[in-house]
Amino acid sequence: MIRLLNAETHTLPPDDELQHHQNHPYVIISHVWQQPEITFADMPHFPASKSASASKITGACATVLARYGGRIKHIWLDTVCIDKKNLTELTMSINSMYKWYKHAEACFAFLSDYPGSGVRVFTDSKWFTRGWTLQELVAPRDVVFFDKNWKRIGDKESLADALVARTKISGDFLSGRSNVGRASVSQRMSWFAGRTTSVEEDAAYCLLGLFGVNMPLLYGEGRKRAYRRLQEEIMRYSDDHSLFAWKSREPLDQGSGLLADDPIHFSGTGDYVHKANRLNNRPFETTNKGISIDLYLQQYQGVYVASLDCPHGSDHYVGIYLECLSSETQQYRRTRTNELCKILENGRGRLRSIFVKPLDEL
């Protein structure tokens, strides 16, 4: 259940009254954490040592009350509305955030490092580099931007050109004219590629809502493992081959499986689309021998070129390079991981059933 802060009293409801507060209209407050922040543990007090955080909260409350004439009296702010020491509540909240953002009256994006117009471009704000703010930009139907003094800059509609240029997200997806679920996996991954999170596992966890999946949080598992689990969860619901259309910045020494180790590997993949009605419509899945998948293969310069069912332009498909480790068991790994290629539609090779797994996991 969502916990909302009363904008008039600056208080949170007790746990035994949360059920009665679920139908209040509310505004999401999106921001970048600045230490020290007032947290759930501090409430209802605003410690003097956290005056900047207190100013942010009171400014948000006053802005919401003023803009809606008192009609909306509640806000949601992650710093104070989640008990992060309670792992059960934290897991539920992170898995529910995207839904909460979609159902909000609006999202107010507070750019604490942007002093106002005439000084510099608002899209230079650190807000546009953070992982968690991606879903706060995409999910709500209305996002309003404010400078450090809570002066309105504009909204998603009036600032559309600047937002598209900065984020590389299509205006149709930003505006809600097109459902985000229609964007290919690689497109959505590419939106995050230049962003960072303070906690390494959050690079995966902050993307759950964007892909409509849920999974338990295992802080301590590391960024690579968390990101791998996210992709495996996406595979359970999507047959989009663009999930495999990534490339590393440098060749990976031990090669790789079909899944990326890091979101940065999806930089520059925003043009790859999902082909819903594809010739190779066989399912793929994770097994103890790696990912079991049917791919069109052809030999090329000592390796195999695998054609993904991921169109690139009008008559080409995205290709990846594979090394055969065992022809008897049809075990492969990805090689030349820093390269993708284009394959003509009529030159994709022969369809074969194979297993792809990183060498270090064999």
Side-chain angles (χ1 to χ4, degrees):
M1 290 184 289
I2 191 170
R3 179 185 284 114
L4 299 172
L5 180 73
N6 188 303
E8 292 181 318
T9 64
H10 302 162
T11 58
L12 297 168
D15 286 350
D16 59 0
E17 294 183 15
L18 281 180
Q19 187 65 50
H20 304 296
H21 290 255
Q22 297 305 297
N23 295 323
H24 291 311
Y26 58 92
V27 170
I28 297 291
I29 306 300
S30 176
H31 68 113
V32 173
W33 276 54
Q34 295 175 293
Q35 300 297 344
E37 287 280 0
I38 293 173
T39 66
F40 176 83
D42 294 316
M43 299 297 288
H45 307 292
F46 287 6
S49 61
K50 301 179 178 181
S51 58
S53 181
S55 177
K56 175 164 53 180
I57 295 172
T58 56
C61 291
T63 302
V64 169
L65 291 171
R67 289 192 64 82
Y68 292 100
R71 178 176 68 84
I72 296 179
K73 301 178 181 180
H74 293 85
I75 68 170
W76 184 89
L77 182 66
D78 62 337
T79 49
V80 298
C81 292
I82 303 175
D83 181 1
K84 293 182 172 64
K85 293 183 178 180
N86 183 329
L87 183 57
T88 300
E89 178 175 331
L90 179 61
T91 299
M92 183 278 296
S93 297
I94 288 179
N95 278 278
S96 302
M97 280 180 183
Y98 199 85
K99 176 181 66 177
W100 292 346
Y101 298 159
K102 286 188 69 173
H103 294 165
E105 187 78 16
C107 173
F108 285 7
F110 176 59
L111 311 186
S112 59
D113 58 348
Y114 178 63
S117 59
V119 181
R120 68 173 190 273
V121 180
F122 81 99
T123 51
D124 289 339
S125 170
K126 186 182 292 186
W127 188 91
F128 289 93
T129 70
R130 306 302 291 166
W132 288 106
T133 58
L134 174 58
Q135 61 180 352
E136 293 163 359
L137 172 65
V138 173
R141 60 179 177 271
D142 186 21
V143 179
V144 187
F145 293 87
F146 294 87
D147 67 17
K148 63 181 294 185
N149 298 309
W150 285 103
K151 182 179 179 181
R152 187 180 186 275
I153 303 169
D155 56 29
K156 274 207 291 190
E157 183 177 358
S158 64
L159 301 171
D161 290 344
L163 293 174
V164 170
R166 178 64 177 85
T167 65
K168 304 299 187 292
I169 303 174
S170 161
D172 286 340
F173 293 128
L174 277 180
S175 66
R177 290 190 298 270
S178 291
N179 189 304
V180 171
R182 294 184 177 275
S184 71
V185 171
S186 67
Q187 283 178 311
R188 282 175 277 177
M189 290 293 191
S190 73
W191 299 343
F192 177 84
R195 295 172 179 261
T196 60
T197 57
S198 299
V199 180
E200 58 178 332
E201 293 87 355
D202 283 345
Y205 302 159
C206 73
L207 294 173
L208 293 176
L210 200 62
F211 290 98
V213 298
N214 300 100
M215 67 185 200
L217 311 185
L218 302 175
Y219 284 107
E221 67 176 323
R223 179 184 178 102
K224 179 179 176 179
R225 179 61 190 139
Y227 193 59
R228 181 75 58 83
R229 283 202 302 128
L230 169 66
Q231 294 170 88
E232 290 172 348
E233 197 65 26
I234 292 171
M235 281 176 54
R236 292 180 59 197
Y237 299 96
S238 173
D239 65 350
D240 183 357
H241 275 202
S242 77
L243 174 63
F244 312 127
W246 56 268
K247 62 179 180 178
S248 56
R249 291 184 170 179
E250 300 292 337
L252 301 179
D253 293 338
Q254 295 296 317
S256 173
L258 285 179
L259 302 181
D261 290 341
D262 195 279
I264 197 66
H265 294 169
F266 282 94
S267 296
T269 65
D271 292 334
Y272 301 152
V273 298
H274 171 43
K275 186 176 182 181
N277 300 315
R278 51 192 177 89
L279 294 175
N280 172 18
N281 60 1
R282 302 179 189 178
F284 48 86
E285 61 182 344
T286 299
T287 74
N288 57 7
K289 292 183 63 177
I291 293 178
S292 173
I293 189 170
D294 293 353
L295 291 174
Y296 290 97
L297 296 183
Q298 56 182 314
Q299 282 190 295
Y300 174 75
Q301 295 184 353
V303 296
Y304 285 86
V305 177
S307 174
L308 302 176
D309 266 314
C310 177
H312 187 222
S314 59
D315 57 357
H316 286 82
Y317 286 82
V318 178
I320 58 175
Y321 296 98
L322 298 178
E323 176 186 355
C324 181
L325 302 175
S326 171
S327 57
E328 182 179 354
T329 62
Q330 288 299 297
Q331 191 78 57
Y332 291 75
R333 69 167 177 171
R334 186 163 169 192
T335 188
R336 294 168 63 169
T337 56
N338 62 325
E339 298 178 57
L340 295 171
C341 61
K342 295 172 67 175
I343 302 173
L344 283 169
E345 186 170 6
N346 60 0
R348 303 178 70 191
R350 184 164 62 93
L351 189 63
R352 296 169 65 173
S353 298
I354 63 173
F355 297 93
V356 187
K357 191 173 186 178
L359 187 62
D360 59 2
E361 293 183 8
L362 290 172

